[in-house]
PDB file of all heavy atoms in Angstrom:
ATOM      1  N   LEU A 298      -7.382  29.263   6.084  1.00 98.00           N
ATOM      2  CA  LEU A 298      -7.799  30.678   6.066  1.00 98.00           C
ATOM      3  C   LEU A 298      -9.301  30.744   5.656  1.00 98.00           C
ATOM      4  O   LEU A 298     -10.156  31.447   6.271  1.00 98.00           O
ATOM      5  CB  LEU A 298      -7.052  31.474   5.018  1.00 98.00           C
ATOM      6  CG  LEU A 298      -5.686  31.867   5.496  1.00 98.00           C
ATOM      7  CD1 LEU A 298      -4.801  32.309   4.355  1.00 98.00           C
ATOM      8  CD2 LEU A 298      -5.644  32.973   6.640  1.00 98.00           C
ATOM      9  N   ALA A 299      -9.733  29.973   4.701  1.00 98.00           N
ATOM     10  CA  ALA A 299     -11.171  30.037   4.223  1.00 98.00           C
ATOM     11  C   ALA A 299     -12.069  29.449   5.396  1.00 98.00           C
ATOM     12  O   ALA A 299     -13.146  29.950   5.628  1.00 98.00           O
ATOM     13  CB  ALA A 299     -11.323  29.149   3.056  1.00 98.00           C
ATOM     14  N   THR A 300     -11.583  28.426   6.115  1.00 97.00           N
ATOM     15  CA  THR A 300     -12.443  27.873   7.174  1.00 97.00           C
ATOM     16  C   THR A 300     -12.575  28.926   8.225  1.00 97.00           C
ATOM     17  O   THR A 300     -13.616  28.954   8.882  1.00 97.00           O
ATOM     18  CB  THR A 300     -11.709  26.599   7.706  1.00 97.00           C
ATOM     19  OG1 THR A 300     -11.599  25.580   6.604  1.00 97.00           O
ATOM     20  CG2 THR A 300     -12.576  25.906   8.912  1.00 97.00           C
ATOM     21  N   ALA A 301     -11.497  29.623   8.562  1.00 97.00           N
ATOM     22  CA  ALA A 301     -11.489  30.699   9.585  1.00 97.00           C
ATOM     23  C   ALA A 301     -12.605  31.747   9.237  1.00 97.00           C
ATOM     24  O   ALA A 301     -13.183  32.336  10.055  1.00 97.00           O
ATOM     25  CB  ALA A 301     -10.207  31.300   9.861  1.00 97.00           C
ATOM     26  N   LEU A 302     -12.818  31.964   7.941  1.00 97.00           N
ATOM     27  CA  LEU A 302     -13.743  32.940   7.480  1.00 97.00           C
ATOM     28  C   LEU A 302     -15.125  32.371   7.106  1.00 97.00           C
ATOM     29  O   LEU A 302     -16.023  33.028   6.479  1.00 97.00           O
ATOM     30  CB  LEU A 302     -13.148  33.688   6.237  1.00 97.00           C
ATOM     31  CG  LEU A 302     -11.883  34.510   6.405  1.00 97.00           C
ATOM     32  CD1 LEU A 302     -11.299  34.940   5.179  1.00 97.00           C
ATOM     33  CD2 LEU A 302     -12.137  35.598   7.384  1.00 97.00           C
ATOM     34  N   ASN A 303     -15.290  31.024   7.508  1.00 96.00           N
ATOM     35  CA  ASN A 303     -16.566  30.324   7.188  1.00 96.00           C
ATOM     36  C   ASN A 303     -16.976  30.294   5.723  1.00 96.00           C
ATOM     37  O   ASN A 303     -18.162  30.329   5.308  1.00 96.00           O
ATOM     38  CB  ASN A 303     -17.748  31.087   8.011  1.00 96.00           C
ATOM     39  CG  ASN A 303     -18.880  30.227   8.242  1.00 96.00           C
ATOM     40  OD1 ASN A 303     -18.769  28.955   8.331  1.00 96.00           O
ATOM     41  ND2 ASN A 303     -20.115  30.685   8.177  1.00 96.00           N
ATOM     42  N   ILE A 304     -15.925  30.085   4.926  1.00 97.00           N
ATOM     43  CA  ILE A 304     -16.079  29.856   3.479  1.00 97.00           C
ATOM     44  C   ILE A 304     -15.867  28.351   3.281  1.00 97.00           C
ATOM     45  O   ILE A 304     -14.966  27.724   3.704  1.00 97.00           O
ATOM     46  CB  ILE A 304     -15.145  30.703   2.689  1.00 97.00           C
ATOM     47  CG1 ILE A 304     -15.451  32.118   2.873  1.00 97.00           C
ATOM     48  CG2 ILE A 304     -15.152  30.262   1.228  1.00 97.00           C
ATOM     49  CD1 ILE A 304     -14.494  33.111   2.189  1.00 97.00           C
ATOM     50  N   ARG A 305     -16.801  27.792   2.449  1.00 97.00           N
ATOM     51  CA  ARG A 305     -16.609  26.307   2.112  1.00 97.00           C
ATOM     52  C   ARG A 305     -15.588  26.153   1.056  1.00 97.00           C
ATOM     53  O   ARG A 305     -15.480  26.930   0.188  1.00 97.00           O
ATOM     54  CB  ARG A 305     -18.039  25.754   1.692  1.00 97.00           C
ATOM     55  CG  ARG A 305     -19.161  26.060   2.471  1.00 97.00           C
ATOM     56  CD  ARG A 305     -18.957  25.462   3.949  1.00 97.00           C
ATOM     57  NE  ARG A 305     -20.184  25.652   4.719  1.00 97.00           N
ATOM     58  CZ  ARG A 305     -20.073  25.712   6.120  1.00 97.00           C
ATOM     59  NH1 ARG A 305     -19.009  25.637   6.678  1.00 97.00           N
ATOM     60  NH2 ARG A 305     -21.270  25.747   6.813  1.00 97.00           N
ATOM     61  N   THR A 306     -14.949  25.015   1.053  1.00 98.00           N
ATOM     62  CA  THR A 306     -13.797  24.833   0.080  1.00 98.00           C
ATOM     63  C   THR A 306     -13.948  23.382  -0.502  1.00 98.00           C
ATOM     64  O   THR A 306     -14.500  22.447   0.078  1.00 98.00           O
ATOM     65  CB  THR A 306     -12.484  24.880   0.778  1.00 98.00           C
ATOM     66  OG1 THR A 306     -12.326  23.887   1.793  1.00 98.00           O
ATOM     67  CG2 THR A 306     -12.190  26.258   1.323  1.00 98.00           C
ATOM     68  N   TRP A 307     -13.295  23.294  -1.681  1.00 97.00           N
ATOM     69  CA  TRP A 307     -13.293  22.027  -2.396  1.00 97.00           C
ATOM     70  C   TRP A 307     -11.967  22.096  -3.293  1.00 97.00           C
ATOM     71  O   TRP A 307     -11.738  23.140  -3.932  1.00 97.00           O
ATOM     72  CB  TRP A 307     -14.489  21.880  -3.302  1.00 97.00           C
ATOM     73  CG  TRP A 307     -14.326  20.653  -4.352  1.00 97.00           C
ATOM     74  CD1 TRP A 307     -14.445  19.390  -3.976  1.00 97.00           C
ATOM     75  CD2 TRP A 307     -14.237  20.779  -5.792  1.00 97.00           C
ATOM     76  NE1 TRP A 307     -14.277  18.545  -5.199  1.00 97.00           N
ATOM     77  CE2 TRP A 307     -14.294  19.447  -6.160  1.00 97.00           C
ATOM     78  CE3 TRP A 307     -14.224  21.844  -6.628  1.00 97.00           C
ATOM     79  CZ2 TRP A 307     -14.082  19.248  -7.582  1.00 97.00           C
ATOM     80  CZ3 TRP A 307     -14.095  21.600  -8.017  1.00 97.00           C
ATOM     81  CH2 TRP A 307     -14.020  20.266  -8.477  1.00 97.00           C
ATOM     82  N   VAL A 308     -11.211  21.069  -3.240  1.00 98.00           N
ATOM     83  CA  VAL A 308      -9.970  21.088  -3.992  1.00 98.00           C
ATOM     84  C   VAL A 308      -9.985  19.961  -4.976  1.00 98.00           C
ATOM     85  O   VAL A 308     -10.513  18.901  -4.767  1.00 98.00           O
ATOM     86  CB  VAL A 308      -8.792  20.897  -2.994  1.00 98.00           C
ATOM     87  CG1 VAL A 308      -8.767  19.579  -2.257  1.00 98.00           C
ATOM     88  CG2 VAL A 308      -7.378  21.069  -3.741  1.00 98.00           C
ATOM     89  N   THR A 309      -9.310  20.208  -6.114  1.00 97.00           N
ATOM     90  CA  THR A 309      -9.248  19.130  -7.230  1.00 97.00           C
ATOM     91  C   THR A 309      -8.075  19.286  -8.030  1.00 97.00           C
ATOM     92  O   THR A 309      -7.566  20.377  -8.287  1.00 97.00           O
ATOM     93  CB  THR A 309     -10.553  19.186  -8.066  1.00 97.00           C
ATOM     94  OG1 THR A 309     -10.590  18.162  -8.993  1.00 97.00           O
ATOM     95  CG2 THR A 309     -10.533  20.458  -8.889  1.00 97.00           C
ATOM     96  N   GLY A 310      -7.563  18.115  -8.464  1.00 96.00           N
ATOM     97  CA  GLY A 310      -6.424  18.164  -9.503  1.00 96.00           C
ATOM     98  C   GLY A 310      -7.170  17.616 -10.820  1.00 96.00           C
ATOM     99  O   GLY A 310      -6.353  17.407 -11.806  1.00 96.00           O
ATOM    100  N   ALA A 311      -8.373  17.250 -10.829  1.00 94.00           N
ATOM    101  CA  ALA A 311      -9.144  16.737 -11.952  1.00 94.00           C
ATOM    102  C   ALA A 311      -9.621  17.890 -12.843  1.00 94.00           C
ATOM    103  O   ALA A 311     -10.834  18.313 -12.589  1.00 94.00           O
ATOM    104  CB  ALA A 311     -10.188  15.775 -11.640  1.00 94.00           C
ATOM    105  N   PHE A 312      -8.877  18.333 -13.793  1.00 96.00           N
ATOM    106  CA  PHE A 312      -9.425  19.512 -14.612  1.00 96.00           C
ATOM    107  C   PHE A 312      -8.683  19.307 -15.974  1.00 96.00           C
ATOM    108  O   PHE A 312      -7.680  18.577 -16.119  1.00 96.00           O
ATOM    109  CB  PHE A 312      -8.981  20.851 -14.072  1.00 96.00           C
ATOM    110  CG  PHE A 312      -7.576  21.023 -13.613  1.00 96.00           C
ATOM    111  CD1 PHE A 312      -6.597  21.287 -14.571  1.00 96.00           C
ATOM    112  CD2 PHE A 312      -7.219  20.895 -12.235  1.00 96.00           C
ATOM    113  CE1 PHE A 312      -5.219  21.376 -14.150  1.00 96.00           C
ATOM    114  CE2 PHE A 312      -5.803  21.065 -11.949  1.00 96.00           C
ATOM    115  CZ  PHE A 312      -4.924  21.294 -12.871  1.00 96.00           C
ATOM    116  N   TYR A 313      -9.302  19.972 -16.925  1.00 95.00           N
ATOM    117  CA  TYR A 313      -8.703  19.881 -18.379  1.00 95.00           C
ATOM    118  C   TYR A 313      -7.556  20.865 -18.338  1.00 95.00           C
ATOM    119  O   TYR A 313      -7.723  22.119 -18.473  1.00 95.00           O
ATOM    120  CB  TYR A 313      -9.840  20.130 -19.410  1.00 95.00           C
ATOM    121  CG  TYR A 313     -10.876  19.121 -19.359  1.00 95.00           C
ATOM    122  CD1 TYR A 313     -12.187  19.532 -19.362  1.00 95.00           C
ATOM    123  CD2 TYR A 313     -10.610  17.791 -19.407  1.00 95.00           C
ATOM    124  CE1 TYR A 313     -13.177  18.589 -19.306  1.00 95.00           C
ATOM    125  CE2 TYR A 313     -11.588  16.844 -19.392  1.00 95.00           C
ATOM    126  CZ  TYR A 313     -12.918  17.181 -19.308  1.00 95.00           C
ATOM    127  OH  TYR A 313     -13.980  16.257 -19.316  1.00 95.00           O
ATOM    128  N   ASP A 314      -6.309  20.322 -18.440  1.00 94.00           N
ATOM    129  CA  ASP A 314      -5.082  21.143 -18.356  1.00 94.00           C
ATOM    130  C   ASP A 314      -5.104  22.228 -19.449  1.00 94.00           C
ATOM    131  O   ASP A 314      -4.856  23.386 -19.142  1.00 94.00           O
ATOM    132  CB  ASP A 314      -3.850  20.248 -18.495  1.00 94.00           C
ATOM    133  CG  ASP A 314      -3.725  19.406 -17.257  1.00 94.00           C
ATOM    134  OD1 ASP A 314      -4.550  18.519 -17.071  1.00 94.00           O
ATOM    135  OD2 ASP A 314      -2.734  19.444 -16.552  1.00 94.00           O
ATOM    136  N   ASP A 315      -5.351  21.883 -20.712  1.00 93.00           N
ATOM    137  CA  ASP A 315      -5.234  22.783 -21.777  1.00 93.00           C
ATOM    138  C   ASP A 315      -6.198  23.933 -21.716  1.00 93.00           C
ATOM    139  O   ASP A 315      -6.040  25.107 -21.954  1.00 93.00           O
ATOM    140  CB  ASP A 315      -5.198  22.112 -23.126  1.00 93.00           C
ATOM    141  CG  ASP A 315      -3.951  21.462 -23.471  1.00 93.00           C
ATOM    142  OD1 ASP A 315      -2.977  21.643 -22.862  1.00 93.00           O
ATOM    143  OD2 ASP A 315      -4.006  20.656 -24.390  1.00 93.00           O
ATOM    144  N   GLU A 316      -7.405  23.432 -21.187  1.00 95.00           N
ATOM    145  CA  GLU A 316      -8.606  24.479 -21.082  1.00 95.00           C
ATOM    146  C   GLU A 316      -8.229  25.614 -19.976  1.00 95.00           C
ATOM    147  O   GLU A 316      -8.506  26.679 -20.127  1.00 95.00           O
ATOM    148  CB  GLU A 316      -9.889  23.774 -20.788  1.00 95.00           C
ATOM    149  CG  GLU A 316     -10.312  22.832 -21.928  1.00 95.00           C
ATOM    150  CD  GLU A 316     -10.503  23.606 -23.201  1.00 95.00           C
ATOM    151  OE1 GLU A 316     -11.228  24.590 -23.156  1.00 95.00           O
ATOM    152  OE2 GLU A 316     -10.014  23.132 -24.214  1.00 95.00           O
ATOM    153  N   VAL A 317      -7.617  25.044 -18.926  1.00 97.00           N
ATOM    154  CA  VAL A 317      -7.310  25.968 -17.723  1.00 97.00           C
ATOM    155  C   VAL A 317      -6.210  26.805 -18.174  1.00 97.00           C
ATOM    156  O   VAL A 317      -6.161  28.022 -17.967  1.00 97.00           O
ATOM    157  CB  VAL A 317      -6.899  25.165 -16.495  1.00 97.00           C
ATOM    158  CG1 VAL A 317      -6.366  26.057 -15.467  1.00 97.00           C
ATOM    159  CG2 VAL A 317      -8.041  24.337 -15.995  1.00 97.00           C
ATOM    160  N   ARG A 318      -5.152  26.323 -18.905  1.00 95.00           N
ATOM    161  CA  ARG A 318      -4.048  27.086 -19.357  1.00 95.00           C
ATOM    162  C   ARG A 318      -4.544  28.192 -20.284  1.00 95.00           C
ATOM    163  O   ARG A 318      -4.013  29.337 -20.136  1.00 95.00           O
ATOM    164  CB  ARG A 318      -3.018  26.099 -20.131  1.00 95.00           C
ATOM    165  CG  ARG A 318      -1.834  26.887 -20.718  1.00 95.00           C
ATOM    166  CD  ARG A 318      -0.891  25.897 -21.398  1.00 95.00           C
ATOM    167  NE  ARG A 318      -1.629  25.143 -22.449  1.00 95.00           N
ATOM    168  CZ  ARG A 318      -1.991  25.626 -23.655  1.00 95.00           C
ATOM    169  NH1 ARG A 318      -1.711  26.879 -23.915  1.00 95.00           N
ATOM    170  NH2 ARG A 318      -2.629  24.776 -24.509  1.00 95.00           N
ATOM    171  N   LYS A 319      -5.405  27.803 -21.100  1.00 96.00           N
ATOM    172  CA  LYS A 319      -6.023  28.896 -22.140  1.00 96.00           C
ATOM    173  C   LYS A 319      -6.681  29.983 -21.375  1.00 96.00           C
ATOM    174  O   LYS A 319      -6.594  31.157 -21.671  1.00 96.00           O
ATOM    175  CB  LYS A 319      -6.840  28.316 -23.157  1.00 96.00           C
ATOM    176  CG  LYS A 319      -6.049  27.378 -24.158  1.00 96.00           C
ATOM    177  CD  LYS A 319      -6.992  26.575 -25.074  1.00 96.00           C
ATOM    178  CE  LYS A 319      -6.300  25.606 -25.991  1.00 96.00           C
ATOM    179  NZ  LYS A 319      -7.227  24.828 -26.866  1.00 96.00           N
ATOM    180  N   LEU A 320      -7.442  29.549 -20.400  1.00 97.00           N
ATOM    181  CA  LEU A 320      -8.287  30.468 -19.530  1.00 97.00           C
ATOM    182  C   LEU A 320      -7.330  31.412 -18.885  1.00 97.00           C
ATOM    183  O   LEU A 320      -7.684  32.652 -18.671  1.00 97.00           O
ATOM    184  CB  LEU A 320      -9.124  29.753 -18.603  1.00 97.00           C
ATOM    185  CG  LEU A 320     -10.115  30.485 -17.761  1.00 97.00           C
ATOM    186  CD1 LEU A 320     -11.210  31.226 -18.597  1.00 97.00           C
ATOM    187  CD2 LEU A 320     -10.700  29.664 -16.667  1.00 97.00           C
ATOM    188  N   LEU A 321      -6.215  30.993 -18.417  1.00 97.00           N
ATOM    189  CA  LEU A 321      -5.264  31.810 -17.649  1.00 97.00           C
ATOM    190  C   LEU A 321      -4.276  32.573 -18.678  1.00 97.00           C
ATOM    191  O   LEU A 321      -3.404  33.280 -18.182  1.00 97.00           O
ATOM    192  CB  LEU A 321      -4.388  30.912 -16.774  1.00 97.00           C
ATOM    193  CG  LEU A 321      -5.132  30.084 -15.751  1.00 97.00           C
ATOM    194  CD1 LEU A 321      -4.241  29.375 -14.802  1.00 97.00           C
ATOM    195  CD2 LEU A 321      -6.112  30.994 -14.827  1.00 97.00           C
ATOM    196  N   SER A 322      -4.578  32.427 -20.021  1.00 96.00           N
ATOM    197  CA  SER A 322      -3.755  33.092 -20.977  1.00 96.00           C
ATOM    198  C   SER A 322      -2.236  32.656 -20.914  1.00 96.00           C
ATOM    199  O   SER A 322      -1.306  33.562 -21.049  1.00 96.00           O
ATOM    200  CB  SER A 322      -3.764  34.566 -20.891  1.00 96.00           C
ATOM    201  OG  SER A 322      -5.173  34.989 -21.027  1.00 96.00           O
ATOM    202  N   ILE A 323      -1.960  31.398 -20.619  1.00 95.00           N
ATOM    203  CA  ILE A 323      -0.616  30.876 -20.534  1.00 95.00           C
ATOM    204  C   ILE A 323      -0.352  30.233 -21.950  1.00 95.00           C
ATOM    205  O   ILE A 323      -0.990  29.286 -22.361  1.00 95.00           O
ATOM    206  CB  ILE A 323      -0.395  29.839 -19.373  1.00 95.00           C
ATOM    207  CG1 ILE A 323      -0.714  30.476 -18.029  1.00 95.00           C
ATOM    208  CG2 ILE A 323       0.938  29.176 -19.361  1.00 95.00           C
ATOM    209  CD1 ILE A 323      -0.772  29.532 -16.931  1.00 95.00           C
ATOM    210  N   SER A 324       0.668  30.721 -22.599  1.00 91.00           N
ATOM    211  CA  SER A 324       0.976  30.190 -23.961  1.00 91.00           C
ATOM    212  C   SER A 324       1.577  28.730 -23.942  1.00 91.00           C
ATOM    213  O   SER A 324       2.056  28.291 -22.882  1.00 91.00           O
ATOM    214  CB  SER A 324       1.995  31.202 -24.542  1.00 91.00           C
ATOM    215  OG  SER A 324       3.205  31.118 -23.880  1.00 91.00           O
ATOM    216  N   ILE A 325       1.405  28.136 -25.039  1.00 84.00           N
ATOM    217  CA  ILE A 325       1.662  26.676 -25.119  1.00 84.00           C
ATOM    218  C   ILE A 325       3.221  26.572 -24.964  1.00 84.00           C
ATOM    219  O   ILE A 325       3.741  25.508 -24.674  1.00 84.00           O
ATOM    220  CB  ILE A 325       1.357  26.181 -26.485  1.00 84.00           C
ATOM    221  CG1 ILE A 325       1.462  24.622 -26.575  1.00 84.00           C
ATOM    222  CG2 ILE A 325       2.015  26.944 -27.652  1.00 84.00           C
ATOM    223  CD1 ILE A 325       0.659  23.871 -25.623  1.00 84.00           C
ATOM    224  N   ASP A 326       4.079  27.570 -25.234  1.00 83.00           N
ATOM    225  CA  ASP A 326       5.476  27.507 -25.098  1.00 83.00           C
ATOM    226  C   ASP A 326       6.067  27.917 -23.828  1.00 83.00           C
ATOM    227  O   ASP A 326       7.224  28.123 -23.624  1.00 83.00           O
ATOM    228  CB  ASP A 326       6.278  28.246 -26.244  1.00 83.00           C
ATOM    229  CG  ASP A 326       5.904  29.603 -26.358  1.00 83.00           C
ATOM    230  OD1 ASP A 326       5.018  30.161 -25.606  1.00 83.00           O
ATOM    231  OD2 ASP A 326       6.504  30.399 -27.127  1.00 83.00           O
ATOM    232  N   SER A 327       5.082  28.145 -22.867  1.00 88.00           N
ATOM    233  CA  SER A 327       5.560  28.618 -21.554  1.00 88.00           C
ATOM    234  C   SER A 327       6.070  27.353 -20.682  1.00 88.00           C
ATOM    235  O   SER A 327       5.502  26.262 -20.973  1.00 88.00           O
ATOM    236  CB  SER A 327       4.360  29.342 -20.906  1.00 88.00           C
ATOM    237  OG  SER A 327       4.608  29.552 -19.534  1.00 88.00           O
ATOM    238  N   THR A 328       6.722  27.677 -19.597  1.00 88.00           N
ATOM    239  CA  THR A 328       7.023  26.616 -18.681  1.00 88.00           C
ATOM    240  C   THR A 328       6.147  26.655 -17.396  1.00 88.00           C
ATOM    241  O   THR A 328       6.484  26.063 -16.450  1.00 88.00           O
ATOM    242  CB  THR A 328       8.499  26.662 -18.182  1.00 88.00           C
ATOM    243  OG1 THR A 328       8.779  28.033 -17.667  1.00 88.00           O
ATOM    244  CG2 THR A 328       9.476  26.419 -19.368  1.00 88.00           C
ATOM    245  N   GLU A 329       5.079  27.420 -17.569  1.00 94.00           N
ATOM    246  CA  GLU A 329       4.062  27.518 -16.329  1.00 94.00           C
ATOM    247  C   GLU A 329       2.882  26.633 -16.728  1.00 94.00           C
ATOM    248  O   GLU A 329       2.329  26.603 -17.829  1.00 94.00           O
ATOM    249  CB  GLU A 329       3.581  28.931 -16.216  1.00 94.00           C
ATOM    250  CG  GLU A 329       2.708  29.142 -15.182  1.00 94.00           C
ATOM    251  CD  GLU A 329       2.311  30.624 -14.903  1.00 94.00           C
ATOM    252  OE1 GLU A 329       2.767  31.475 -15.669  1.00 94.00           O
ATOM    253  OE2 GLU A 329       1.433  30.856 -14.042  1.00 94.00           O
ATOM    254  N   TYR A 330       2.536  25.792 -15.765  1.00 94.00           N
ATOM    255  CA  TYR A 330       1.451  24.884 -15.954  1.00 94.00           C
ATOM    256  C   TYR A 330       0.504  24.929 -14.618  1.00 94.00           C
ATOM    257  O   TYR A 330       1.003  25.065 -13.587  1.00 94.00           O
ATOM    258  CB  TYR A 330       1.918  23.472 -16.166  1.00 94.00           C
ATOM    259  CG  TYR A 330       2.665  23.162 -17.342  1.00 94.00           C
ATOM    260  CD1 TYR A 330       4.038  23.492 -17.466  1.00 94.00           C
ATOM    261  CD2 TYR A 330       1.978  22.833 -18.543  1.00 94.00           C
ATOM    262  CE1 TYR A 330       4.675  23.318 -18.712  1.00 94.00           C
ATOM    263  CE2 TYR A 330       2.622  22.604 -19.765  1.00 94.00           C
ATOM    264  CZ  TYR A 330       4.063  22.908 -19.774  1.00 94.00           C
ATOM    265  OH  TYR A 330       4.686  22.651 -20.953  1.00 94.00           O
ATOM    266  N   PRO A 331      -0.758  24.756 -14.840  1.00 97.00           N
ATOM    267  CA  PRO A 331      -1.696  24.488 -13.728  1.00 97.00           C
ATOM    268  C   PRO A 331      -1.444  23.278 -12.984  1.00 97.00           C
ATOM    269  O   PRO A 331      -1.278  22.234 -13.648  1.00 97.00           O
ATOM    270  CB  PRO A 331      -3.046  24.669 -14.332  1.00 97.00           C
ATOM    271  CG  PRO A 331      -2.862  24.183 -15.747  1.00 97.00           C
ATOM    272  CD  PRO A 331      -1.506  24.655 -16.142  1.00 97.00           C
ATOM    273  N   ILE A 332      -1.461  23.229 -11.624  1.00 97.00           N
ATOM    274  CA  ILE A 332      -1.203  22.176 -10.805  1.00 97.00           C
ATOM    275  C   ILE A 332      -2.470  21.752  -9.992  1.00 97.00           C
ATOM    276  O   ILE A 332      -2.736  20.642  -9.861  1.00 97.00           O
ATOM    277  CB  ILE A 332      -0.052  22.436  -9.870  1.00 97.00           C
ATOM    278  CG1 ILE A 332       1.310  22.707 -10.726  1.00 97.00           C
ATOM    279  CG2 ILE A 332       0.221  21.196  -8.931  1.00 97.00           C
ATOM    280  CD1 ILE A 332       1.802  21.568 -11.395  1.00 97.00           C
ATOM    281  N   LEU A 333      -3.069  22.710  -9.427  1.00 97.00           N
ATOM    282  CA  LEU A 333      -4.242  22.414  -8.430  1.00 97.00           C
ATOM    283  C   LEU A 333      -5.098  23.634  -8.421  1.00 97.00           C
ATOM    284  O   LEU A 333      -4.864  24.717  -8.677  1.00 97.00           O
ATOM    285  CB  LEU A 333      -3.476  22.375  -7.016  1.00 97.00           C
ATOM    286  CG  LEU A 333      -4.289  21.631  -5.964  1.00 97.00           C
ATOM    287  CD1 LEU A 333      -4.489  20.135  -6.360  1.00 97.00           C
ATOM    288  CD2 LEU A 333      -3.448  21.652  -4.643  1.00 97.00           C
ATOM    289  N   ILE A 334      -6.437  23.266  -8.182  1.00 98.00           N
ATOM    290  CA  ILE A 334      -7.520  24.211  -8.050  1.00 98.00           C
ATOM    291  C   ILE A 334      -8.242  24.162  -6.642  1.00 98.00           C
ATOM    292  O   ILE A 334      -8.603  22.986  -6.287  1.00 98.00           O
ATOM    293  CB  ILE A 334      -8.511  24.045  -9.121  1.00 98.00           C
ATOM    294  CG1 ILE A 334      -7.869  24.455 -10.601  1.00 98.00           C
ATOM    295  CG2 ILE A 334      -9.861  24.934  -8.941  1.00 98.00           C
ATOM    296  CD1 ILE A 334      -8.863  24.132 -11.770  1.00 98.00           C
TER     297      ILE A 334
END
Side-chain angles (χ1 to χ4, degrees):
L298 286 165
T300 302
L302 295 171
N303 201 31
I304 294 176
R305 307 303 185 206
T306 62
W307 171 71
V308 63
T309 185
F312 51 80
Y313 297 129
D314 294 65
D315 283 346
E316 297 301 308
V317 174
R318 179 181 55 76
K319 292 173 184 175
L320 185 65
L321 303 183
S322 301
I323 299 174
S324 66
I325 188 65
D326 58 352
S327 170
T328 57
E329 182 177 0
Y330 292 88
I332 299 292
L333 202 59
I334 291 177

